[in-house]
Amino acid sequence: MARYLDVHPDNPQPRLIGQAVQALRDDQLIAYPTDSGYALGSRIGNKDGRDRILAIRGLDERHHFTLVCRDFSQLGQLVHVDNSAFRAIRAATPGPFTFILPATPEVPRRLLHPKKRTVGVRIPDHTVVRALLEELGEPILSSTLILPGESEPRTNGWDVKEELDHRVDVVIEAGDTPAEPTTVIDWSEGVPEVVRQGAGDWSRFAG
């Protein structure tokens, strides 16, 4: 059964954040709230975590994983951001946007799109996620918690626990989250392409 951590949304309890981070370090899979619904998360170095996320979501190897980052400097270590993208991405973060960009050698090959060698990155605007990232000290490998046959992410921790009690190790509750997934912008070819219209003002990236 998954552990259920009831975290305060505005003042996350350090003890509970520490338990969630220790679970990540122990290569466990967590379900956690973000500014655009729930997500599944594991440590980048957790080889099994990637496969578990794909299995829960019913996705194939071409899925674009997202590396959830603490800040822009951490993001810049993982992807190549050219001058045309730098200001626009900086202005849109933190926020409900995922950017697909060419990965640096810092990113394990198994996490990249098999043909494009790209990966998604984002900096959420969510107090609990920031606390997790600060304590962990590295990005979280993540994917929006949209289950097979559904079009919106889960928004309530207890619902997630009931649905995935034996498929994830930890569920973090921190109040209801928005039901709208991130807006995804593919910037891998040097110009922005909105590939999923979601939360936030995506029109700023439309050609």
Side-chain angles (χ1 to χ4, degrees), residues 175-198:
D176 284 352
T177 66
E180 202 170 11
T182 59
T183 287
V184 179
I185 299 102
D186 188 338
W187 218 308
S188 59
E189 300 296 330
V191 293
E193 177 189 357
V194 179
V195 295
R196 182 175 73 190
Q197 296 177 8

Side-chain angles (χ1 to χ4, degrees), residues 52 90 180:
R52 291 176 69 186
R90 188 90 187 235
E180 202 170 11

Side-chain angles (χ1 to χ4, degrees), residues 15-37:
R15 177 179 61 85
L16 297 181
I17 293 297
Q19 289 180 24
V21 167
Q22 188 58 52
L24 288 169
R25 290 178 177 149
D26 291 340
D27 285 345
Q28 296 182 16
L29 184 65
I30 70 170
Y32 68 103
T34 77
D35 52 349
S36 57

Side-chain angles (χ1 to χ4, degrees), residues 162-185:
E162 287 194 332
E163 185 78 26
L164 299 176
D165 203 19
H166 297 285
R167 303 190 73 185
V168 301
D169 302 299
V170 174
V171 176
I172 299 174
E173 171 68 70
D176 284 352
T177 66
E180 202 170 11
T182 59
T183 287
V184 179
I185 299 102

Side-chain angles (χ1 to χ4, degrees), residues 15-204:
R15 177 179 61 85
L16 297 181
I17 293 297
Q19 289 180 24
V21 167
Q22 188 58 52
L24 288 169
R25 290 178 177 149
D26 291 340
D27 285 345
Q28 296 182 16
L29 184 65
I30 70 170
Y32 68 103
T34 77
D35 52 349
S36 57
Y38 265 76
L40 298 167
S42 78
R43 196 173 60 87
I44 288 179
N46 179 0
K47 297 180 180 180
D48 184 51
R50 167 191 175 276
D51 296 337
R52 291 176 69 186
I53 291 171
L54 289 177
I56 289 171
R57 291 208 50 202
L59 299 169
D60 62 24
E61 299 287 327
R62 294 168 295 175
H63 174 63
H64 256 121
F65 278 96
T66 297
L67 303 178
V68 175
C69 303
R70 180 183 63 228
D71 51 33
F72 200 84
S73 63
Q74 193 175 67
L75 181 151
Q77 296 172 10
L78 303 169
V79 290
H80 297 288
V81 184
D82 64 24
N83 292 334
S84 67
F86 181 87
R87 287 187 179 181
I89 295 176
R90 188 90 187 235
T93 54
F97 299 97
T98 298
F99 300 95
I100 297 171
L101 289 157
T104 68
E106 297 283 321
V107 182
R109 179 173 288 188
R110 69 180 182 278
L111 304 183
L112 305 182
H113 187 281
K115 291 185 178 179
K116 297 181 178 181
R117 295 288 183 255
T118 50
V119 72
V121 287
R122 91 177 194 93
I123 305 172
D125 186 12
H126 194 282
T127 301
V128 172
V129 182
R130 285 198 296 269
L132 289 171
L133 292 166
E134 192 66 39
E135 179 73 15
L136 183 63
E138 63 180 72
I140 296 174
L141 174 66
S142 192
S143 183
T144 305
L145 181 42
I146 302 175
L147 294 175
E150 298 181 358
S151 59
E152 293 183 344
R154 292 301 175 103
T155 62
N156 180 277
W158 190 252
D159 288 342
V160 172
K161 178 167 168 56
E162 287 194 332
E163 185 78 26
L164 299 176
D165 203 19
H166 297 285
R167 303 190 73 185
V168 301
D169 302 299
V170 174
V171 176
I172 299 174
E173 171 68 70
D176 284 352
T177 66
E180 202 170 11
T182 59
T183 287
V184 179
I185 299 102
D186 188 338
W187 218 308
S188 59
E189 300 296 330
V191 293
E193 177 189 357
V194 179
V195 295
R196 182 175 73 190
Q197 296 177 8
D201 180 14
W202 56 267
S203 64
R204 69 169 83 183

